[in-house]
Amino acid sequence: MTMEKIDLYNQLKSDYKAAAEPALIETTPGQYLSIEGQGAPGGQAMIDCIGALYSMAFTIKMTRKAAGQGDYVICKLETLWCTPDGGDDPSKFPQEQWCWTLLIRTPDCVTQHDLDAAAKVLLDKGKCEPVNRVQLKVLNEGKCVQILHVGPYDQVCEAIEKMQALAEENGLAFTGKHHEIYLSDPRRVDPEKLKTIVRRPVA
């Protein structure tokens, strides 16, 4: 009997449904592969960590599949942004000081044993050291404001203003880190056409 391939985006459509106008949503708690770092968006530190995160994601997926433990779709890259002091508005600091957590949502069946085994395989092959920094992280943001931003990453200010206005209209305020979900591959899509879901927890 063939196990059904897990597609978290298909299963959790409400979490990843966004339009040009902001909306309030209730997110589903989820498990992620994650790696933390600091530096400018698109800088070498971030590029290295993205590479490590995807290397781990695909190694774990293929190892589990080969062992008959099922298969799943690798999810999109996501990022939580914050300031060096833990604040939620990195724009107040030079980009070199921005702190970020890179995320790839992963099925609950993935375990710490899978991470340890994948890191060993990659390090034995001479892959970059950041694979050792990849961790499993559970994120439970609860109620959020969410919007779809179309355009360059550095032009999300208008989207954020709309989100804040909707929150205030409902007697709510931002309570968690700025969260971006990248639906487009910037290597293949023009900046003006990039699609990014922007999310902020509220209470």
Side-chain angles (χ1 to χ4, degrees):
M1 183 176 178
T2 303
M3 298 174 67
E4 184 178 354
K5 188 173 184 177
I6 299 171
D7 185 340
L8 292 177
Y9 279 158
N10 189 49
Q11 294 177 8
L12 304 168
K13 290 180 180 178
S14 61
D15 282 31
Y16 297 100
K17 181 180 180 181
E21 294 301 320
L24 287 169
I25 68 166
E26 192 70 32
T27 59
T28 308
Q31 175 173 262
Y32 295 78
L33 296 177
S34 70
I35 186 168
E36 296 181 354
Q38 184 176 22
Q44 193 59 50
M46 177 173 271
I47 290 172
D48 290 346
C49 286
I50 290 173
L53 193 64
Y54 271 108
S55 293
M56 288 287 282
F58 279 100
T59 299
I60 292 168
K61 166 190 163 74
M62 298 311 296
T63 300
R64 291 183 58 85
K65 183 178 179 180
Q69 296 175 312
D71 192 14
Y72 55 89
V73 177
I74 299 291
C75 291
K76 304 289 188 182
L77 180 68
E78 309 183 24
T79 307
L80 300 176
W81 296 92
C82 67
T83 65
D85 58 2
D88 59 8
D89 187 1
S91 64
K92 296 178 180 178
F93 289 77
Q95 288 191 351
E96 291 72 21
Q97 297 181 26
W98 289 12
C99 297
W100 31 263
T101 303
L102 303 171
L103 305 165
I104 295 178
R105 196 159 190 166
T106 192
D108 292 340
C109 57
V110 172
T111 67
Q112 184 63 46
H113 173 76
D114 294 317
L115 260 71
D116 294 341
K120 184 179 187 308
V121 167
L122 290 167
L123 291 171
D124 286 348
K125 290 181 177 179
K127 295 294 184 180
C128 58
E129 182 272 339
V131 296
N132 263 341
R133 291 163 46 199
V134 176
Q135 300 178 338
L136 282 175
K137 177 183 181 71
V138 175
L139 193 61
N140 185 7
E141 294 173 301
K143 182 177 289 186
C144 296
V145 178
Q146 186 158 286
I147 193 171
L148 177 66
H149 168 67
V150 180
Y153 297 135
D154 59 2
Q155 294 181 9
V156 300
C157 294
E158 183 178 343
I160 295 171
E161 290 173 359
K162 289 182 179 180
M163 295 165 68
Q164 189 158 13
L166 178 64
E168 291 173 354
E169 288 171 10
N170 287 271
L172 302 167
F174 291 163
T175 58
K177 294 179 180 178
H178 179 85
H179 188 167
E180 295 181 348
I181 302 161
Y182 308 110
L183 304 182
S184 306
D185 185 340
R187 299 169 300 179
R188 296 180 173 87
V189 178
D190 293 336
E192 293 75 18
K193 297 180 181 179
L194 291 170
K195 293 182 178 181
T196 307
I197 294 175
V198 184
R199 178 188 294 170
R200 287 295 295 272
V202 292

